[in-house]
Amino acid sequence: MVRDKSAVEVYDDDYGEKWFSDEASFQDDLVPVWGRRWSVSSEVGRLRACLVRRPGKEIECVKNPADWRWGDVMDPQKARDQHDAFTQVYRDHGVDVFYVEEQREDRPNAIFMRDNLLGTPEGAIVCRQATRFRRGEEAAVTRAVAKIGCPVVRTISGHGYFEGACAMWIDRRTIVLGTGVRANAEGVRQVEEVLRPMGVETVLPFQIPYGHAHLDGLMNPVDRRKLLIFPWQTPYDVIDPLKRMGFELIEAPDVDEVKHGSSINLVALAPGLVVMPAGNPKTQRALEKAGVEVIPVDVSELMKGYGSLHCMTAFLEREEI
Ligand SMILES: NC(=[NH2+])NCCC[C@H](N)C(=O)O
């Protein structure tokens, strides 16, 4: 009987099950699979990449500022020029600035990108806006993130809502997560569920006070172990463990600068080097006295939307500290 070659003959010198799984971690795969190290685990490690929304047509839909939680109507050209200027400072410091190119024309607050995206050690969490006047910004952000190839590790869903500025990274193992009008318990639970397996061990809960939307007007790390805080409205129970970790506290010296100058709403380009809204001389001096280098930039037009640099910048890649 004529028979095909037996399986044994075919496999001969190279047979057997050998297509085993690859045990590399997702984080190890970021560069080979996802094209770059899309990894964030602090607010201060050298900034390599961020996502922003240059003010587009949407800011022109604001007629009554109070409808959008704005203080005043923006001059579109001034707003765009100021946006170009501060992102240029980022680029001058080696940051790759990515843009959300398309956005809904009825979502003027979409320029406050941090609220739409939280960077994690393994990619982005796409947030879910709490308010009706912002919900929907995140859909365009998802498309932008997909386009640049950054992995999305979670989209806040179900009954959760969570805006990225309700989180504040402390270090690879520690994060502050705030609940309040812009982040409910379910939203925080979803964020925590994603971060724990990535190696976050300590979550410091922060009850955001009535009248504040986010954390970046209340506290912001400016160096590996230096923290700028609004002293009267940051819970002692958040500060105490940070003190034990060796954090030096820099108390914002002027309420008016915090409230109207967004003096805490700054972006660190590297440990001890920050870009900060201009017009806050007292806070700037306090930072410099603490050994922090400050680059002031004029974002006064953009601040009519009640947000500033930190809110406008979603971090996509920072060097680990
Ligand atoms: N992360 C921030 N502080 N964002 C400020 C957002 C301001 C915007 N008008 C809002 O109420 O949503």
Side-chain angles (χ1 to χ4, degrees):
M1 193 178 83
V2 182
R3 205 161 56 87
D4 286 343
K5 280 174 137 189
S6 76
V8 172
E9 279 170 82
V10 172
Y11 290 151
D12 227 10
D13 49 355
D14 187 24
Y15 74 97
E17 284 293 332
K18 54 181 176 291
W19 298 279
F20 298 124
S21 18
D22 180 347
E23 299 298 336
S25 71
F26 192 88
Q27 204 173 352
D28 293 339
D29 271 349
L30 282 171
V31 174
V33 174
W34 296 90
R36 71 180 292 158
R37 220 189 114 265
W38 306 103
S39 189
V40 176
S41 56
S42 79
E43 305 290 332
V44 301
R46 180 167 286 282
L47 186 59
R48 293 293 182 199
C50 68
L51 184 68
V52 297
R53 166 68 184 169
R54 183 178 190 267
K57 193 101 189 83
E58 71 277 9
I59 61 165
E60 295 169 35
C61 84
V62 177
K63 304 292 174 241
N64 178 20
D67 290 346
W68 306 97
R69 195 167 169 269
W70 282 24
D72 204 349
V73 174
M74 289 180 200
D75 176 297
Q77 198 49 51
K78 265 195 209 157
R80 287 169 196 143
D81 290 347
Q82 290 184 352
H83 200 276
D84 292 342
F86 84 75
T87 51
Q88 189 56 44
V89 174
Y90 293 176
R91 281 183 285 270
D92 290 343
H93 285 80
V95 181
D96 292 325
V97 179
F98 294 98
Y99 287 87
V100 173
E101 281 158 12
E102 310 285 335
Q103 183 52 277
R104 281 171 61 157
E105 292 186 4
D106 60 350
R107 287 293 176 270
N109 282 297
I111 57 174
F112 300 114
M113 185 59 65
R114 168 69 177 230
D115 302 331
N116 281 316
L117 185 149
L118 179 68
T120 82
E122 302 187 359
I125 293 178
V126 174
C127 301
R128 182 162 182 259
Q129 290 289 334
T131 65
R132 193 40 68 194
F133 66 92
R134 295 200 63 179
R135 190 159 302 159
E137 295 173 11
E138 53 272 36
V141 171
T142 298
R143 289 189 286 273
V145 168
K147 198 167 157 199
I148 62 175
C150 170
V152 173
V153 290
R154 171 92 206 201
T155 299
I156 302 302
S157 59
H159 289 283
Y161 50 82
F162 187 88
E163 301 183 8
C166 297
M168 203 51 93
W169 281 102
I170 299 299
D171 63 22
R172 183 67 182 76
R173 285 193 287 270
T174 316
I175 194 166
V176 178
L177 294 180
T179 46
V181 63
R182 301 300 182 96
N184 63 2
E186 172 57 14
V188 166
R189 189 197 65 73
Q190 291 178 28
V191 172
E192 193 170 337
E193 180 182 79
V194 173
L195 297 184
R196 290 280 183 193
M198 292 183 190
V200 169
E201 291 162 5
T202 306
V203 172
L204 299 171
F206 186 131
Q207 293 185 5
I208 299 175
Y210 186 84
H212 282 274
H214 305 106
L215 293 182
D216 47 14
L218 295 162
M219 63 182 292
N220 204 344
V222 291
D223 202 341
R224 284 188 187 81
R225 285 291 180 267
K226 288 175 194 165
L227 184 71
L228 179 62
I229 59 166
F230 185 24
W232 306 280
Q233 295 210 295
T234 306
Y236 188 78
D237 290 348
V238 173
I239 296 305
D240 186 52
L242 297 177
K243 264 172 52 206
R244 287 171 203 277
M245 286 172 69
F247 269 89
E248 177 187 334
L249 303 177
I250 305 163
E251 297 189 2
D254 187 275
V255 184
D256 196 57
E257 288 190 1
V258 173
K259 283 284 191 195
H260 305 113
S262 283
S263 63
I264 298 181
N265 207 306
L266 49 77
V267 167
L269 294 172
L273 171 64
V274 302
V275 188
M276 140 179 218
N280 294 300
K282 292 181 195 157
T283 313
Q284 182 171 342
R285 229 175 296 127
L287 287 169
E288 285 167 350
K289 222 176 110 202
V292 177
E293 194 184 329
V294 177
I295 304 172
V297 294
D298 180 12
V299 280
S300 52
E301 198 61 30
L302 295 157
M303 277 166 43
K304 291 178 176 170
Y306 287 156
S308 196
L309 292 163
H310 194 269
C311 334
M312 288 191 280
T313 314
F315 308 135
L316 295 174
E317 184 182 340
R318 280 189 182 276
E319 280 178 16
E320 212 165 295
I321 50 170

